[in-house]
Amino acid sequence: MFTSRDRILTTHTGSLPRSAELTELYARRAAGETIDEARLDALGKAATRHVIRCQLESGIDIGNNGEQQREAFFLYVRRRMTGFGGAWTRRPMADTVKYPGYMAWQADHEGSRKVVSNRGTLPAANADVAYLDPALVQAECDEFHAALRDVGGKGFAEAFMTAPSPGIIATAMRNEHYDTEDAYLAALGAAMRVEYEAIHKAGFLLQIDAPDLAMERHCAFQDKPLGAFVDFCEKVIDTINAALVNVPRERVRLHACWGNYEGPHDCDVDLQDVLPPIARAKVGGWVLPFANPRHAHEYRCLSNLPLDDGQVVIAGVVDPLTNFIEHPEVVADRIERVAHVVGDPSRVQAGTDCGFDTSAGRGRVAEDVVWAKLKAMSEGAAIASKRLGMQGQDAPARRPM
């Protein structure tokens, strides 16, 4: 994983805004309609180039393809794996049920636009789960390489690609086939290993998206003891570690969060309760949210996250759920707080709490504001770099793509 002693590097969590036409096609296909697949493919490829340019213009050092060729950060796997079918609806989040007024507002808001739902009409595992063909993920990797070449210029310091945790698939696409949840997790881990290894072999940094390691406490495990949820987190981490057997630790970062939705979040599990299993992941970095109002104070927990050689913290210093553009000084303050707890600013990178459009159409931030927020993050990182005594802020080394 690329690090720098010269300045705080900037990155983000993965998904970036999709165009209205691209979103509509994904939403229609998710609803079971027949669409123009060639048109979808062309739009996805054009959108990938667009978001690469915008990331570079915003000052992002470690960027990605914005997940433009996927309908959602985890639901796309139903098109790359066997074993999924039928439909079911996820139970509401505990904090949603707690506030009926908010629940009504949320239903009204989401009912007014085309979206790919990550809660309703989800498929379930009703047969053996297996990866269909490595060529499916390889095609996305090849397209990302092609887009990077087409955009040209100095490019990113490093490029990453995302893939979901077996845990979020297991909880969101429930088991209706395997005798035990452990067996289902193992099958998912074996299937996702194909993607993890393909992304690594293509030369990209792998980011594993695991909101299940925090969010599922107030979703699938809301009526169960905390210990049962921590046990689940332990099993997920074991599954991830097994799937990463052929991927070097330093080429992986893990993202955990409490769900990418604007809500009360007062039923969220505390970071200190889930940090021990999260810390067991064999990864080179942790992507954690510290910009949102519910968890901004939990950067202090990082004192309990031991960092080995080369490991980093990618701190969320920008909120992807509000159209407020963070002032660069605010971003700098957030970075500095994390750096002081970690003890070494070269172990800290600046990022976003979560993605800006994790399921097509669900993003809450206007596209032009997204790029302004990322630019403010870059400016804030430069301010923090100077205050933290880092040198040579304008010239980080770059990993060849």
Side-chain angles (χ1 to χ4, degrees):
M1 185 176 300
F2 181 77
T3 59
S4 173
R5 291 194 172 275
D6 296 328
R7 65 181 178 91
I8 299 292
L9 300 176
T10 59
T11 185
H12 60 92
T13 311
S15 65
L16 293 168
R18 299 169 177 87
S19 70
E21 186 178 1
L22 187 59
T23 296
E24 181 176 4
L25 287 175
Y26 280 134
R28 286 174 52 199
R29 187 175 68 175
E33 294 183 35
T34 299
I35 63 165
D36 184 342
E37 293 287 350
R39 178 62 177 164
L40 178 68
D41 181 64
L43 286 172
K45 290 177 178 177
T48 299
R49 287 152 178 77
H50 170 68
V51 298
I52 290 172
R53 292 188 186 94
C54 290
Q55 288 172 81
L56 292 169
E57 290 168 0
S58 300
I60 293 298
D61 295 304
I62 303 167
N64 79 333
N65 59 1
E67 301 176 4
Q68 298 297 296
Q69 292 186 286
R70 304 177 184 179
E71 67 218 65
F73 83 96
F74 74 90
L75 281 172
Y76 75 94
V77 301
R78 62 184 165 186
R79 305 184 192 284
R80 296 186 182 181
M81 295 182 186
T82 62
F84 294 112
W88 77 295
T89 299
R90 289 258 266 166
R91 68 186 302 187
M93 305 290 195
D95 60 334
T96 302
V97 177
K98 186 177 179 181
Y99 297 97
Y102 164 74
M103 193 172 184
W105 172 87
Q106 183 188 53
D108 181 67
H109 175 76
E110 294 192 354
S112 64
R113 54 182 179 162
K114 288 276 191 181
V115 300
V116 173
S117 175
N118 58 8
R119 306 202 63 79
T121 62
L122 298 176
N126 55 16
D128 286 349
V129 171
Y131 209 83
L132 282 167
D133 186 347
L136 296 170
V137 61
Q138 188 61 51
E140 186 182 16
C141 293
D142 291 346
E143 179 56 30
F144 189 16
H145 275 302
L148 289 168
R149 290 192 299 269
D150 289 349
V151 170
K154 64 180 182 180
F156 297 121
E158 188 160 54
F160 74 95
M161 282 185 66
T162 64
S165 153
I168 188 59
I169 304 172
T171 50
M173 300 163 74
R174 71 180 180 185
N175 175 32
E176 295 180 354
H177 173 69
Y178 291 91
D179 291 339
T180 66
E181 291 299 319
D182 288 356
Y184 184 32
L185 266 179
L188 289 170
M192 289 311 302
R193 176 176 167 178
V194 176
E195 288 222 341
Y196 298 166
E197 293 183 358
I199 289 170
H200 165 61
K201 289 177 181 177
F204 298 118
L205 185 67
L206 167 65
Q207 176 179 298
I208 298 177
D209 286 321
D212 45 293
L213 297 176
M215 180 185 73
E216 292 304 328
R217 173 64 183 130
H218 59 276
C219 188
F221 287 79
Q222 60 185 267
D223 298 328
K224 299 177 182 178
L226 174 61
F229 177 63
V230 174
D231 288 346
F232 165 76
C233 293
E234 295 277 3
K235 291 178 181 179
V236 171
I237 292 298
D238 288 342
T239 304
I240 290 173
N241 287 343
L244 292 174
V245 63
N246 293 323
V247 182
R249 184 191 73 173
E250 63 271 17
R251 299 301 298 153
V252 190
R253 65 191 204 185
L254 178 71
H255 170 234
C257 73
W258 290 266
N260 195 34
Y261 66 99
E262 181 190 9
H265 282 282
D266 58 347
C267 297
D268 289 1
V269 67
D270 292 336
L271 178 58
Q272 64 182 1
D273 291 328
V274 293
L275 192 58
I278 289 173
R280 289 182 48 246
K282 295 179 180 179
V283 299
W286 288 270
V287 186
L288 299 170
F290 300 118
N292 68 79
R294 191 68 194 181
H295 297 280
H297 65 292
E298 291 189 315
Y299 69 91
R300 298 183 183 92
C301 295
L302 295 174
S303 62
N304 298 319
L305 179 64
L307 297 179
D308 291 334
D309 290 346
Q311 289 182 309
V312 302
V313 171
I314 299 96
V317 293
V318 165
D319 190 336
L321 295 173
T322 170
N323 283 279
F324 272 102
I325 298 172
E326 288 82 354
H327 195 287
E329 291 282 356
V330 172
V331 171
D333 287 348
R334 291 171 175 171
I335 295 170
E336 290 174 71
R337 287 197 293 266
V338 171
H340 288 313
V341 172
V342 170
D344 180 354
S346 71
R347 298 289 192 93
V348 177
Q349 296 175 3
T352 59
D353 273 11
C354 200
F356 283 97
D357 196 28
T358 50
S359 291
R362 289 183 57 84
R364 295 188 53 81
V365 180
E367 182 181 348
D368 50 358
V369 176
V370 168
W371 311 128
K373 287 168 79 77
L374 294 182
K375 187 173 187 296
M377 181 172 68
S378 179
E379 292 170 352
I383 294 170
S385 298
K386 292 177 182 178
R387 290 182 184 165
L388 291 166
M390 304 176 82
Q391 302 298 317
Q393 293 92 342
D394 295 326
R398 311 190 87 78
R399 181 185 295 275
M401 284 293 102

